Each structure stands twice: as structure tokens, then as C-alpha cells.
Amino acid sequence: MEKPQRLALAATVCSALWMGSTGTASAMALPGGVVAMSVEAPRDFGYVIGDVIRHAVVIDTERGASIDPNSLPKEGWINRWLWLRRVSLRVGEEDRVLRHRLILEYQTFYAPREVKNLSIPAFSLALSGSAETLEIPAWRFTMAPIRELSVVRVDGLEPMRPDAAPALLETKRHRWQLFAAMVTAVAAATAWAYYAAWLPYGRRGRHFVEACRALRSLQGQVANPAMVRAGFTCLHRAFDGTWGEPLFREQLPDFFHSHPAYTPLRSEIEAFFRDSYEVFFGDEASRSPAFDLPRLHRLARDCLRAERSGQ
């Protein structure tokens, strides 16, 4: 090769290397509407497994042109060792052009045994309203191993130090918060079971809580004589369960003597039994009880409180 030819070849190589180091794309064929494109990349050497590589692709377009967001690279695995962890695009106006700044964060999981040349694959971006695409070239870099090399021991140098142990996070405050939450949950569950009469000891409110539930459901239905009789039946079952056998009006004095907690409700309970006799055994003309479903429900709740306080 003649000397002038060698000089021309060297100049071409140097020019290409300089353009690659600056990341500009002035020598590339740009599609219509794209004014300029550059890739801001970090160093292309000295990476190890787990490192994050951040690229910024700056694209200047005319005001009528823009990058199609659907053509942006998708986050996720690109291949078995390269993961695209974040993609973001910001658009702003600068110097009478639209400046698109595309941020790409890659993470490499390649574990080489020696210094290895790798590359981030090229991709293309589509322009809105155009069939042309903008090609983003591949980016080459080198990765180094992190394992201990045998040459280190042969040369008598210090071997690779072990990894530093990770610092333990302070969890004392979180443990106390978890303990307080558990205590609160247990207390709330116990209180709920107590008021629902599900606890085995004492079965407080065992009889009248069921009457309250039944009367609450009856109130949501259309009031009629059959529903009123069903309400009276629910409350009678609660009194029978408390007394231990069917409780009749004539036995009320003995009931109040053995269950003094119900004494403050004596007049209302006696009125209930009088009205109950008319509902179940009176003639049809007299079956207009003073106790409606809401009043029956109030009496059931009062008896529930008396039942719990008297246990």
C-alpha cells in the first residue's frame, strides 16, 4: 500500500473513532423530519455483573414530527443476561425544534470468566405519521470477571477479599408495631366474639342476642300480622332459654326473683306477655298488638344488656 493511501486510511479511521466517542449521528442517514440524533453513553469498559448502564438518546425533530411512543423498547429481558429496567421519554421545545430525550437503563447479569466484549442490541424508533424509522446503533462494551484469578496467587499478591457482609436493618420499631397490631387484633376479635356470644365461658347474651338478630332481619321485611307473630316467637324463645323451660305470664314473679337483672324492665316485660296472649290466643278483632317489630327489637336489646350484666 502506498504511503498516501495509508495516510488517507489512517485519517478515515481516526475520524470514525472520534465520531463514535462523541456519540453523534451526523454521519448517519437520518429520516425525514429528524434534525439530529446523539447517544449519551457512559464509559464502555470496566463493568461487572449487576452493574447498571444508563443511556440517554437525544433526538431533535421538526415541530411536525415526533417519536411514536409505541415503538419505544419494552421494559424487561432483552436476552438471557441483559435486562431493560426503565424506559422514559421526555419531550421539550428547544431552538425551534422538538427535543426528545429517551432514557434507557440496562442492567447486565453476565458473569464472564475473563474480560468479555459484549454489546447492547440496536433498535429502531418509528416516527409518527411516517413510514421511516430511526435506527439506534448497537453499543459495545467490556465486562470483567469478579472471581479470584489463579494468576493472583501465583504472583504472590493478596487474594481477592471476601464480599462485605450486608448491614442489618434496624427492625426494633417494626417489631413493636407488629406486636401492637397483633395485640389490638386479638383484643378486637375477643371483644367481637364476646358480644356475638361465641365465647364458651358464660355464653353471655346467648339467648337474647339471637332474638336481636332475628328481629333485626324481620324489620327489613314488610310488616304484617305473620311477621309480628314471628317477632313475638323470637322473644319468647329467648325468655324460655333464660328460664330453662317455657316461661308463662303467671311465672313472671318467680322469674324476676331468680333473675334480678331484669327487674328494671319489669313493666315492659309484663306488657309484652299481656300483649303476647292477645296475639296468640285472642280473637281476630283484638289482634292489634301495641308491640310492633321496632318495640320488640328495643325490648330484646334491653334484655340483652340485662342478661350480660347479670351473668
Side-chain angles (χ1 to χ4, degrees), residues 56-71:
V57 182
V58 181
I59 305 168
D60 293 340
T61 65
E62 298 174 355
R63 293 186 178 181
S66 62
I67 302 299
D68 186 359
N70 295 323
S71 67

Side-chain angles (χ1 to χ4, degrees), residues 137-188:
W139 186 77
R140 296 183 64 83
F141 64 102
T142 61
M143 288 192 64
I146 61 173
R147 66 184 183 88
E148 182 181 0
L149 300 177
S150 59
V151 68
V152 174
R153 293 192 296 270
V154 172
D155 293 344
L157 302 177
E158 289 292 331
M160 182 179 293
R161 292 181 298 177
D163 295 335
L168 298 179
L169 297 177
E170 176 56 46
T171 60
K172 183 177 180 181
R173 179 171 62 90
H174 300 289
R175 290 199 302 269
W176 277 109
Q177 290 177 347
L178 177 61
F179 177 74
M182 293 176 62
V183 171
T184 304
V186 171

Side-chain angles (χ1 to χ4, degrees), residues 125-247:
L125 297 174
L127 300 177
S128 299
S130 175
E132 295 185 274
T133 59
L134 176 63
E135 300 297 328
I136 308 299
W139 186 77
R140 296 183 64 83
F141 64 102
T142 61
M143 288 192 64
I146 61 173
R147 66 184 183 88
E148 182 181 0
L149 300 177
S150 59
V151 68
V152 174
R153 293 192 296 270
V154 172
D155 293 344
L157 302 177
E158 289 292 331
M160 182 179 293
R161 292 181 298 177
D163 295 335
L168 298 179
L169 297 177
E170 176 56 46
T171 60
K172 183 177 180 181
R173 179 171 62 90
H174 300 289
R175 290 199 302 269
W176 277 109
Q177 290 177 347
L178 177 61
F179 177 74
M182 293 176 62
V183 171
T184 304
V186 171
T190 304
W192 177 72
Y194 171 83
Y195 285 106
W198 284 6
L199 295 180
Y201 55 86
R203 296 288 290 177
R204 299 193 173 200
R206 174 177 57 180
H207 304 293
F208 286 98
V209 71
E210 297 173 359
C212 287
R213 291 172 184 165
L215 288 168
R216 190 183 304 114
S217 64
L218 289 175
Q219 287 189 84
Q221 304 179 28
V222 179
N224 54 53
M227 291 298 173
V228 174
R229 286 195 297 272
F232 273 90
T233 301
C234 293
L235 206 50
H236 270 295
R237 288 175 180 170
F239 281 110
D240 295 345
T242 305
W243 182 241
E245 59 183 35
L247 179 64

Side-chain angles (χ1 to χ4, degrees), residues 208 212 216 294 296-306:
F208 286 98
C212 287
R216 190 183 304 114
L296 290 172
H297 189 219
R298 287 195 299 270
L299 178 58
R301 287 186 307 192
D302 293 340
C303 291
L304 174 61
R305 286 190 287 266

